[in-house]
Amino acid sequence: MKIRFWGVRGSIPAPGPETNRYGGNTACVSVTTASGGLIIIDMGTGLMHLGNALLGREFGKGKGRAAILLSHTHWDHIQGLGFFPPVFIAGNQFTVWGPGDSPKVLEDILEGQMDPNFSPLQTLKNLAASFDVRAASCSESFEAEGAKVTAREHPHGATKALAFRIEDAGKTFVYASDVGYPEAGPPPAAIAHYANADVLLHDSTYRPEHQVTRRNRGFSSYEDACNAAIAAKVKRLVTFHYDQDYSDDDVDAIIASCKKIVAPHNIEVVPAREGDEIEI
Ligand SMILES: [Zn+2]
């Protein structure tokens, strides 16, 4: 499978000269399965750029289909939807799998951001493509574009978010963003969810010294990410969801620290950077 990063920043877009190298768009990752299926994870502002790239394919002709896995509905994970050109082309089909037990509640939240006070689109009903909203079960795996997806709920500040384990053609990719562990670190159930992944993309929002004063926001430090990767014995750790106030140089320092921590465990560190793609 091919994993591509369209938005890697946390909480709010942070464009500017100091974030040019890693990128300022918020969470969006695409996964292309071995058989060519498209899975989109999160709809942050990076979704706009993915959408523009998809127009050159079947999505430009109204013949595209994709699954969208939504970890949760904070702004930085849904704000790209109204700027995703393929949803304005009739014939394209999207199935959105998101948190909560009720597709109706999830659809109402997504509908809320289209309210005329927030968006000129006014309602989801103005999207020409088919947009089927479903609740992602955490009790059993489901199939998305031919891949097996297992969702697990974790705490994220005052709310919850989903981590997705995607298995396809013998490879495993885990997406775990916006993760607020207890102070003791990742619990056994989280480690089991990430276990032996070829790639673990993990929330690396903070340096430990900044996490201490912001624990209630529900994000991981890069040390949490490293500890999870080591305990789960993954092959590669992808750092993700960098704090909006961190410059590229700050992110460089985070990556260097991660490499130092995981090197004795034979884990490779790959920083998520807009436009980069990894294949497993
Ligand atoms: Zn976020």
Short mmCIF file of all heavy atoms in Angstrom, two decimals, residues 11 72 76-77 178 219 241, ligand 1:
data_model
loop_
_atom_site.label_atom_id
_atom_site.label_comp_id
_atom_site.label_asym_id
_atom_site.label_seq_id
_atom_site.Cartn_x
_atom_site.Cartn_y
_atom_site.Cartn_z
N SER A 11 -4.28 20.88 14.90
CA SER A 11 -5.16 21.89 15.51
C SER A 11 -5.61 23.04 14.61
O SER A 11 -6.77 23.39 14.59
CB SER A 11 -4.54 22.46 16.79
OG SER A 11 -4.29 21.39 17.69
N HIS A 72 -12.16 11.82 14.23
CA HIS A 72 -13.08 12.58 15.10
C HIS A 72 -13.43 13.86 14.36
O HIS A 72 -12.93 14.08 13.25
CB HIS A 72 -12.46 12.84 16.48
CG HIS A 72 -11.24 13.70 16.49
ND1 HIS A 72 -10.11 13.42 15.74
CD2 HIS A 72 -10.95 14.88 17.13
CE1 HIS A 72 -9.19 14.35 15.95
NE2 HIS A 72 -9.68 15.24 16.77
N ASP A 76 -9.86 20.60 12.78
CA ASP A 76 -8.66 20.29 11.97
C ASP A 76 -8.76 18.92 11.29
O ASP A 76 -7.84 18.53 10.57
CB ASP A 76 -7.38 20.39 12.80
CG ASP A 76 -7.39 19.53 14.05
OD1 ASP A 76 -8.44 19.40 14.69
OD2 ASP A 76 -6.32 18.97 14.39
N HIS A 77 -9.89 18.23 11.50
CA HIS A 77 -10.07 16.92 10.84
C HIS A 77 -11.27 16.89 9.90
O HIS A 77 -11.53 15.86 9.28
CB HIS A 77 -10.16 15.81 11.90
CG HIS A 77 -8.90 15.71 12.71
ND1 HIS A 77 -7.97 14.71 12.54
CD2 HIS A 77 -8.39 16.55 13.65
CE1 HIS A 77 -6.95 14.92 13.35
NE2 HIS A 77 -7.18 16.03 14.04
N ASP A 178 -4.21 12.36 17.51
CA ASP A 178 -5.01 12.98 18.58
C ASP A 178 -5.26 11.99 19.72
O ASP A 178 -6.40 11.67 20.05
CB ASP A 178 -6.32 13.53 18.00
CG ASP A 178 -6.05 14.60 16.95
OD1 ASP A 178 -5.49 14.25 15.89
OD2 ASP A 178 -6.38 15.76 17.19
N PHE A 219 -3.39 15.39 23.75
CA PHE A 219 -2.44 15.05 22.68
C PHE A 219 -1.23 14.33 23.25
O PHE A 219 -0.90 14.45 24.43
CB PHE A 219 -1.96 16.32 21.96
CG PHE A 219 -3.05 17.06 21.25
CD1 PHE A 219 -3.49 18.30 21.71
CD2 PHE A 219 -3.67 16.53 20.13
CE1 PHE A 219 -4.50 18.98 21.05
CE2 PHE A 219 -4.67 17.21 19.46
CZ PHE A 219 -5.10 18.44 19.93
N HIS A 241 1.00 15.40 13.22
CA HIS A 241 0.16 16.33 13.98
C HIS A 241 1.00 17.27 14.85
O HIS A 241 0.74 17.49 16.03
CB HIS A 241 -0.82 15.50 14.85
CG HIS A 241 -2.08 16.24 15.27
ND1 HIS A 241 -2.13 17.04 16.37
CD2 HIS A 241 -3.31 16.29 14.73
CE1 HIS A 241 -3.34 17.54 16.52
NE2 HIS A 241 -4.09 17.09 15.51
ZN ZN B 1 -6.26 17.19 15.48
#
